[in-house]
């Protein structure tokens, strides 16, 4: 009887930081494909009003199918948001130099902006939105402020509010949700409730809480990294590739 119960148990799987990063990159890829190749390249959503799009989809079954795929890919992309917020906090807690970490993140945010604009809007410069790495840069500045002013709940709330406002003014990708998740994962770093609260916040993107099943299995190990800067390079590289594909299709 005990053997039967043992067979029914799901295997205990642990994931390290490298695995989490690959998971985040893979799920984010779906979101980028949805926004660039499908919505901009095939559906040309920025050329129509929402009413015109709905009429086009009702008249064209192929557009309806593409729209459904875009929605599915966006939902898969929502899985990446809590993972990147979680990894940002882990990186901050274990980095040897906050200054170098911040400079590296800000540099790649700048490098990624033109590929991001190409992929998301088809333009070389588009000020209507900034890429994910700018959100993470703001989150990193917020974490440094929270560490600097460790005492006082009022000051902590003010720092978090300032970071949220900053992300809104810059219109950074996943801004408000990502900043709040980073704040929760840091301020409640020793409390298991952080994943539950984070799950509620990430409901903004519907599927975000599902990633809690992965985050719960984090083993606090670094894992085997193929290269220190690989994950930084992958972000602008995949956006540039999708941007070029979208340009060719459009």
């Amino acid at each position: 009887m005990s053997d039967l119960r043992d067979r029914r148990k799901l295997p205990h799987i642990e994931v390290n930081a490298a695995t989490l990063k690959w998971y985040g990159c893979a799920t984010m890829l779906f979101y980028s494909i949805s926004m660039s190749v499908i919505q901009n390249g095939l559906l040309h959503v920025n050329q129509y009003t929402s009413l015109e799009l709905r009429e086009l989809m009702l008249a064209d079954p192929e557009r309806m199918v593409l729209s459904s795929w875009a929605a599915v890919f966006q939902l898969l992309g929502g899985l990446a948001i809590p993972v990147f917020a979680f990894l940002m906090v882990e990186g901050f807690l274990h980095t040897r130099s906050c200054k170098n970490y911040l400079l590296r993140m800000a540099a790649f945010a700048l490098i990624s902006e033109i590929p991001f604009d190409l992929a998301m809007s088809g333009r070389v410069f588009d000020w209507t939105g900034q890429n994910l790495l700018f959100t993470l840069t703001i989150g990193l500045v917020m974490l440094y402020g929270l560490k600097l002013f460790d005492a006082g709940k009022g000051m902590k709330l003010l720092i978090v509010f300032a970071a949220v406002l900053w992300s809104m003014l810059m219109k950074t990708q996943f801004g408000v949700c990502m900043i709040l998740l980073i704040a929760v994962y840091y301020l409640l770093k020793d409390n298991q409730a952080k994943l539950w609260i984070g799950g509620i916040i990430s409901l903004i993107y519907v599927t975000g809480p599902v990633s809690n099943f992965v985050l719960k299995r984090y083993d606090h190990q670094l894992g085997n990294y193929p290269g220190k800067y690989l994950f930084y390079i992958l972000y602008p590289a995949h956006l540039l590739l999708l941007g070029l594909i979208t340009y060719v299709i459009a």
Side-chain angles (χ1 to χ4, degrees):
M1 192 70 177
S2 60
D3 292 340
L4 181 60
R5 282 197 296 266
D6 289 339
R7 283 198 295 269
R8 287 176 178 174
K9 287 181 181 178
L10 291 173
H12 180 71
I13 301 172
E14 293 187 343
V15 297
N16 52 44
T19 305
L20 282 180
K21 287 193 176 184
W22 282 119
Y23 171 85
C25 289
T27 49
M28 180 56 66
L29 177 61
F30 283 106
Y31 186 90
S32 299
I33 291 173
S34 171
M35 296 298 292
S36 60
V37 177
I38 301 178
Q39 296 191 47
N40 290 334
L42 297 173
L43 294 175
H44 310 289
V45 294
N46 33 3
Q47 297 180 15
Y48 306 101
T49 65
S50 56
L51 180 61
E52 289 172 337
L53 274 173
R54 186 170 61 184
E55 290 176 351
L56 284 169
M57 288 176 192
L58 289 173
D60 188 347
E62 286 188 10
R63 282 181 178 270
M64 183 66 77
V65 171
L66 284 172
S67 178
S68 300
W69 277 112
V72 170
F73 278 26
Q74 275 190 274
L75 289 173
L76 290 171
L79 297 170
I81 299 169
V83 173
F84 282 126
F86 186 88
L87 286 169
M88 166 58 65
V89 174
E90 285 296 307
F92 177 77
L93 291 174
H94 297 98
T95 186
R96 294 178 181 177
S97 172
C98 292
K99 179 182 176 182
N100 290 341
Y101 192 12
L102 178 58
L103 288 174
R104 186 164 60 246
M105 188 67 70
F108 276 95
L110 290 170
I111 292 169
S112 302
E113 189 56 25
I114 289 178
F116 177 81
D117 290 343
L118 282 172
M120 297 300 160
S121 66
R123 295 190 291 270
V124 176
F125 296 104
D126 181 16
W127 305 110
T128 59
Q130 321 309 324
N131 69 76
L132 170 63
L133 297 188
F134 275 115
T135 309
L136 295 178
T137 300
I138 294 171
L140 195 51
V141 173
M142 176 187 69
L143 290 176
Y144 185 75
L146 291 172
K147 182 180 179 181
L148 194 62
F149 300 97
D150 193 36
K153 291 182 180 179
M155 181 58 74
K156 289 177 181 177
L157 287 173
L158 183 62
I159 291 170
V160 174
F161 175 76
V164 168
L165 184 61
W166 188 4
S167 69
M168 291 173 66
L169 290 173
M170 284 189 67
K171 299 177 182 178
T172 61
Q173 193 177 36
F174 311 126
V176 175
C177 181
M178 186 75 75
I179 295 298
L180 291 176
L181 284 172
I182 292 171
V184 166
Y185 291 152
Y186 178 75
L187 294 173
L188 299 177
K189 54 183 175 290
D190 298 321
N191 191 328
Q192 287 298 317
K194 67 183 180 184
L195 292 181
W196 295 106
I197 297 173
I200 293 170
I201 295 170
S202 59
L203 275 171
I204 295 172
Y205 292 95
V206 184
T207 54
V210 177
S211 287
N212 275 0
F213 292 103
V214 181
L215 296 178
K216 281 181 179 179
R217 285 157 178 77
Y218 177 56
D219 61 4
H220 300 277
Q221 300 297 315
L222 191 62
N224 295 320
Y225 275 74
K228 183 177 180 180
Y229 293 100
L230 176 65
F231 293 106
Y232 289 99
I233 295 169
L234 279 176
Y235 184 69
H238 96 281
L239 289 172
L240 182 60
L241 177 60
L242 293 177
L244 292 173
I245 292 171
T246 302
Y247 177 78
V248 171
I249 291 172

